[in-house]
Amino acid sequence: MTTSDPDLSGLETDVCVVGGGATALYGALLCARAGRSVVLVSPEPGFEAAGAGISPLLAPPTLGLLAASGIDEQLVAAGRKVLGVDDHGSTGMLSSWRYADHAGIARPYGLTVPTGTTVQALLAELRAQPGATVLTGEGVVSVEQDGRRVLLGFGRTAEQDGGGVPARRRIAARYAVAADGRQSALRELVGVRLEVSAFDRPAWLLVAPDVPGRESVLLVRHRAPRALFTIPTPGPSSAIVWSPSKDQEEQLEQGGPAALAEQIKEVDPELSEWLGTVGGRTSPVMRLGFSLWRAPSWRVGRVLLVGESVHGLHTLGGQGLNQSLQGAASAARAIDAALASRDPAAIEEYERVRRPHVERLQDLQWNLQALGYGTAPAVKGAHEDFIDVMTALPAELVAQLAGGDGRP
């Protein structure tokens, strides 16, 4: 069911999910498929269109989860298979691995997929669930809770109409999920503040047609302090992420694609030459800043914080969306267990199991040489610490995601 009917001034439901992205939709879908009534409320008037947005890498564990939701065919049709990683240092190859070399993984490849395609596929599945209601164009403006339920108020926010108004709709839910991103309004309303750590090194992004004949792998060329990452994306094209030395940054800001092509000549001469031939077919150069963020708690009473509302990672390793989607699955399973057992303590398993895993990833990223200005020659691949994370889940997470019913 999809509606924006203002007459729906009050609703009661098992779960209310706040957010309109893939994380929110996936969490709501899993709750609905477990037989729970679900209301998803997106502050935006619509959802991202298929084919729109960036194309992050979905790793095999996440692909396995999404396939169980019935959207595998759409993702594979719209996406680009990434077979593994080749990581080069100053003196040659540091590491080379392929997903297919890892036994027991859900898929022998990663997949870069436009975020809008994932959103629309999940939205179609959610709308097909009889116990699901989808509301759009309303932001959460108030929240109260007791030992039995959460009472959420929704209306047009100050950002939407220039002046907040009282809630026009109230939803009473047994549990609520904040999946509304880094600027989460629901997280703010329950009083949780993020702890943010900014990386001091920016990067510059350019999307260009693929160099002919290259294998579809994530390619890293790390000649400290410079680092070049080339990620296969649908098109076929490649997202080129360049971290220059400090003395090259100002020139890059002013020079656009031609300056980037010139700067990478020593690191990847073939790509540099190719960019010179496809100059009119590339995107503009975009400066990227990176940070990590954490929250001191992933739950306040019956409100669970999921995905980027509670944690953020560097784009290296492609684990931001992966951890968010996996987190949505963990939260949905924990909610279902709490509702089935009528024991609110079951909800604590969500944070207990997932949080150490995510924060370990954050710690690994924070200390990676390739993400800083260090000049010592690289001695290991930038992704070596992520190989296990990108191919398999820890046993305790697998058990949590199975939810007691044998599903991934």
Side-chain angles (χ1 to χ4, degrees):
M1 174 183 177
T2 303
T3 182
S4 295
D5 184 351
D7 293 332
L8 288 175
S9 57
L11 290 171
E12 293 188 4
T13 187
D14 290 326
V15 186
C16 179
V17 179
V18 178
T23 302
L25 289 161
Y26 184 49
L29 175 61
L30 291 182
C31 289
R33 285 196 166 161
R36 308 301 174 185
S37 58
V38 180
V39 178
L40 179 139
V41 188
S42 170
E44 301 300 326
F47 295 91
E48 193 172 27
I54 61 173
S55 296
L57 178 70
L58 297 175
T62 308
L63 290 174
L65 291 170
L66 294 175
S69 297
I71 65 171
D72 195 44
E73 184 176 337
Q74 298 100 303
L75 298 185
V76 172
R80 173 92 179 273
K81 292 181 180 179
V82 180
L83 304 180
V85 176
D86 283 345
D87 201 321
H88 300 262
S90 301
T91 58
M93 187 79 77
L94 294 172
S95 66
S96 178
W97 58 271
R98 300 293 180 266
Y99 289 111
D101 296 334
H102 295 260
I105 63 173
R107 292 288 186 280
Y109 53 81
L111 199 68
T112 49
V113 185
T115 51
T117 297
T118 306
V119 163
Q120 288 298 322
L122 290 169
L123 179 61
E125 293 293 327
L126 181 61
R127 283 173 168 161
Q129 304 305 308
T133 299
V134 178
L135 305 175
T136 59
E138 299 182 26
V140 58
V141 296
S142 65
V143 59
E144 302 172 35
Q145 59 178 313
D146 56 29
R148 298 182 301 106
R149 66 177 189 172
V150 185
L151 185 61
L152 301 120
F154 293 88
R156 292 185 62 81
T157 65
E159 290 75 13
Q160 290 171 318
D161 64 8
V165 296
R168 68 170 186 172
R169 186 192 310 276
R170 294 187 184 277
I171 298 176
R174 295 169 74 182
Y175 290 96
V177 176
D180 47 345
R182 182 175 179 177
Q183 306 303 324
S184 171
L186 182 50
R187 185 196 64 238
E188 291 290 320
L189 285 169
V190 296
V192 175
R193 302 292 182 264
L194 295 179
E195 302 163 355
V196 182
S197 301
F199 287 88
D200 62 356
R201 185 178 195 181
W204 280 261
L205 169 68
L206 175 72
V207 179
D210 274 347
V211 177
R214 285 195 171 183
E215 188 179 9
S216 186
V217 298
L218 197 160
L219 181 62
V220 183
R221 296 188 184 276
H222 184 196
R223 297 200 178 175
R226 298 163 297 167
L228 178 67
F229 304 87
T230 307
I231 306 101
T233 55
S237 59
S238 293
I240 300 162
V241 181
W242 171 236
S243 294
S245 56
K246 268 186 176 294
D247 59 0
Q248 294 177 305
E249 291 179 0
E250 184 176 352
Q251 177 190 11
L252 190 56
E253 283 283 352
Q254 300 173 356
L260 189 147
E262 179 62 29
Q263 287 187 5
I264 68 171
K265 184 180 294 185
E266 183 183 349
V267 177
D268 190 337
E270 182 185 35
L271 177 57
S272 174
E273 182 179 355
W274 173 247
L275 291 178
T277 67
V278 297
R281 298 160 56 196
T282 72
S283 73
V285 176
M286 178 185 299
R287 186 184 189 276
L288 304 175
F290 305 102
S291 60
L292 303 178
W293 59 91
R294 296 176 174 177
S297 175
W298 287 23
R299 179 177 67 89
V300 178
R302 289 176 172 258
V303 178
L304 280 69
L305 311 178
V306 172
E308 291 194 346
S309 73
V310 74
H311 57 69
L313 292 100
H314 195 285
T315 58
L316 180 68
Q319 287 300 304
L321 181 58
N322 285 281
Q323 294 306 315
S324 293
L325 290 170
Q326 292 170 26
S330 292
R333 300 304 192 200
I335 289 172
D336 186 50
L339 290 172
S341 65
R342 298 185 180 181
D343 180 8
I347 212 73
E348 297 175 5
E349 288 298 287
Y350 159 63
E351 180 174 355
R352 186 191 70 79
V353 174
R354 283 213 62 81
R355 184 170 182 161
H357 177 65
V358 172
E359 292 191 349
R360 174 175 172 267
L361 278 172
Q362 291 178 317
D363 291 341
L364 287 169
Q365 287 187 333
W366 187 254
N367 293 299
L368 277 177
Q369 180 188 10
L371 303 184
Y373 287 109
T375 58
V379 296
K380 65 187 300 187
H383 288 81
E384 283 190 58
D385 290 328
F386 293 93
I387 294 174
D388 289 340
V389 174
M390 295 169 69
T391 56
L393 297 176
E396 194 170 27
L397 275 181
V398 172
Q400 183 180 74
L401 294 173
D405 57 12
R407 293 176 292 178

